Amino acid sequence: MNKFSNIYKNKKVLVTGATGFKGAWLSIWLSKLGAEVIGYSLEPSTNPSMFKMCNLDNKITNIIGDIRDYSSLVSVFKEYRPDIVFHLAAQPLVRHSYNFPRETYETNVMGTVNVLEAAKSTDSVKAVVVITTDKCYENKEWVYGYRETDPMGGYDPYSSSKGCVELVVSSYRNSFYNERDIALASVRAGNIIGGGDWAEDRLVPDFVRAVSEDRSIIIRNPLAIRPWQHVLEPLSGYLWLGALMFKSKEKYSSAWNFGPKDTDVLNVEEIIKLAISSWGKGSIVLDKGYNPHEANTLKLDISKAKAYLKWSPAYNVSKAVEKTISWYKTYYKNDNQNMYEYTLKQIDEYEKEAKIQNLIWSE
């Protein structure tokens, strides 16, 4: 049994965005750890949906609601009185943010303000973890990874909105949370892959749709470099951080990067070639049409998490792709049936690998 099991067992944990890809994985893992999970989310935004295919409606308490609806959000906090909050709900897509900038800022910035307001007025809450993104940094196309102390920024509305969220979190920590003895941290992960992601304009879901329909995958920027990691990597960091925050509030209330090792930072074409090899077929076509600006190089420095949390990734990029493709192939092989048990199996495999590597949270 890993170390954070005892922290989450019988705790009430509120997960905003539980119907999303990462939110569903986090909800399943928290349930496995014995937590009472309360989701606050919109209806699943994709079809297929990991939330639905894992039948999570019957495994957690999920309230359909919008984080922009402050009164509804506050009523959920008052009724369920969570101990720990993981805030994942967001508008998460770069290209969508170009088409719908107001929605992006309203959801990501004011939605986060609403969550932080609701949490600070609920005396049961002991820790809040706000999930942002590696794209919150002012991107200078550096060849080295961004550190938590580097400036916030963002060229596109999505990245900019997440930089704004980081400033909001910092302000709330200093202005309200420290004096109310509530731990508040923000976490920034890399480009996350894993089974159950069906979002548009994401590399691996686009590949899966293409290969399952015997089409070539169309890629926009084959040389764009990103910090790819399996979804369980940052989630293990979030859970471990949340557990430490629950026990020691001031020490861990800050910003944290959770990313892969430097050797696992690859470009888009290299990732797709790994996916093709793992699936056993597939081909690439370059999109020569107009595409809005996206960063070419993005890396994260995870030395702070390594030093102070004793956290490190368990999977290299090849294993991350292998586990991801295995999930999708199992989904298609089983005629799109319930994937809950297979998802639990992958969580078990990840925990075992972490224990083999003597990662501290798995001891």
Side-chain angles (χ1 to χ4, degrees):
M1 178 175 289
N2 55 56
K3 282 186 176 180
F4 49 57
S5 290
N6 292 332
I7 295 294
Y8 291 103
K9 188 172 183 179
N10 299 323
K11 296 292 190 306
K12 291 184 178 180
V13 182
L14 178 66
V15 178
T16 70
T19 56
F21 160 57
K22 285 172 67 178
W25 275 92
L26 180 59
S27 297
I28 292 169
W29 201 347
L30 281 166
S31 297
K32 181 178 184 290
L33 295 171
E36 179 184 339
V37 181
I38 302 102
Y40 184 87
S41 323
L42 296 174
E43 291 282 0
S45 61
T46 63
N47 186 22
S49 153
M50 173 137 182
F51 186 85
K52 288 184 176 179
M53 69 178 62
C54 291
N55 199 25
L56 288 186
D57 254 338
N58 295 321
K59 294 179 172 63
I60 69 170
T61 300
N62 190 58
I63 295 94
I64 298 301
D66 193 321
I67 55 171
R68 294 173 293 182
D69 185 346
Y70 180 63
S71 60
S72 174
L73 189 62
V74 168
S75 67
V76 170
F77 271 81
K78 286 183 177 179
E79 179 178 355
Y80 291 96
R81 298 182 53 76
D83 301 294
I84 302 172
V85 178
F86 289 96
H87 174 42
L88 286 78
Q91 192 298 97
L93 301 173
V94 171
R95 284 163 68 93
H96 186 91
S97 77
Y98 278 108
N99 295 324
F100 303 97
R102 286 187 69 250
E103 174 198 336
T104 299
Y105 284 106
E106 288 170 355
T107 302
N108 294 352
V109 181
M110 286 310 301
T112 299
V113 170
N114 289 342
V115 171
L116 294 179
E117 277 289 311
K120 81 178 177 68
S121 62
T122 307
D123 61 11
S124 63
V125 176
K126 300 297 185 293
V128 179
V129 180
V130 176
I131 285 75
T132 64
T133 176
D134 56 355
K135 296 175 180 64
C136 67
Y137 293 105
E138 181 183 349
N139 193 297
K140 300 178 184 292
E141 303 290 349
W142 286 330
V143 295
Y144 51 85
Y146 292 94
R147 294 185 175 183
E148 290 85 348
T149 52
D150 285 327
M152 298 293 99
Y155 182 104
D156 58 88
Y158 167 72
S159 302
S160 169
S161 74
K162 287 298 194 174
C164 291
V165 168
E166 289 286 350
L167 298 178
V168 167
V169 171
S170 177
S171 175
Y172 264 75
R173 182 188 302 116
N174 294 326
S175 301
F176 308 112
Y177 275 57
N178 287 343
E179 65 183 40
R180 290 172 186 261
D181 201 29
I182 304 173
L184 174 60
S186 61
V187 291
R188 307 154 184 177
N191 279 50
I192 295 169
I193 61 175
D197 187 1
W198 301 101
E200 298 288 340
D201 289 323
R202 280 201 184 131
L203 186 63
V204 171
D206 285 349
F207 167 77
V208 169
R209 279 187 286 267
V211 75
S212 66
E213 298 168 6
D214 292 320
R215 295 184 288 106
S216 296
I217 179 173
I218 301 172
I219 59 175
R220 299 187 298 270
N221 192 350
L223 300 182
I225 297 170
R226 296 289 186 271
W228 309 97
Q229 56 190 148
H230 190 271
V231 63
L232 292 175
E233 301 282 24
L235 294 189
S236 71
Y238 304 166
L239 288 168
W240 182 225
L241 176 62
L244 292 172
M245 289 166 64
F246 191 84
K247 293 190 294 184
S248 180
K249 295 177 177 59
E250 290 185 12
K251 187 175 181 180
Y252 302 101
S253 291
S254 61
W256 302 88
N257 287 341
F258 294 104
K261 297 176 182 177
D262 286 344
T263 52
D264 291 320
V265 177
L266 304 180
N267 67 38
V268 166
E269 185 174 12
E270 290 169 324
I271 285 291
I272 289 299
K273 286 182 176 178
L274 284 175
I276 289 172
S277 176
S278 186
W279 196 289
K281 65 176 183 177
S283 57
I284 300 171
V285 172
L286 183 62
D287 181 359
K288 297 182 180 180
Y290 168 77
N291 289 295
H293 174 273
E294 293 187 57
N296 288 313
T297 302
L298 185 55
K299 298 180 181 180
L300 287 177
D301 185 315
I302 59 172
S303 57
K304 180 182 174 183
K306 284 184 175 180
Y308 296 104
L309 304 181
K310 307 301 180 185
W311 177 90
S312 293
Y315 286 161
N316 61 28
V317 67
S318 296
K319 180 65 73 172
V321 172
E322 176 192 322
K323 293 293 185 181
T324 299
I325 297 304
S326 175
W327 194 100
Y328 284 110
K329 291 184 79 171
T330 300
Y331 168 77
Y332 284 108
K333 182 180 178 181
N334 291 341
D335 296 323
N336 310 348
Q337 296 301 308
N338 190 317
M339 289 294 291
Y340 182 75
E341 293 301 327
Y342 192 77
T343 301
L344 279 178
K345 177 176 179 290
Q346 288 208 326
I347 293 173
D348 285 338
E349 291 169 348
Y350 179 78
E351 289 179 341
K352 289 174 183 175
E353 181 61 29
K355 192 167 185 178
I356 289 171
Q357 295 187 32
N358 293 317
L359 300 186
I360 189 169
W361 60 263
S362 66
E363 293 173 1

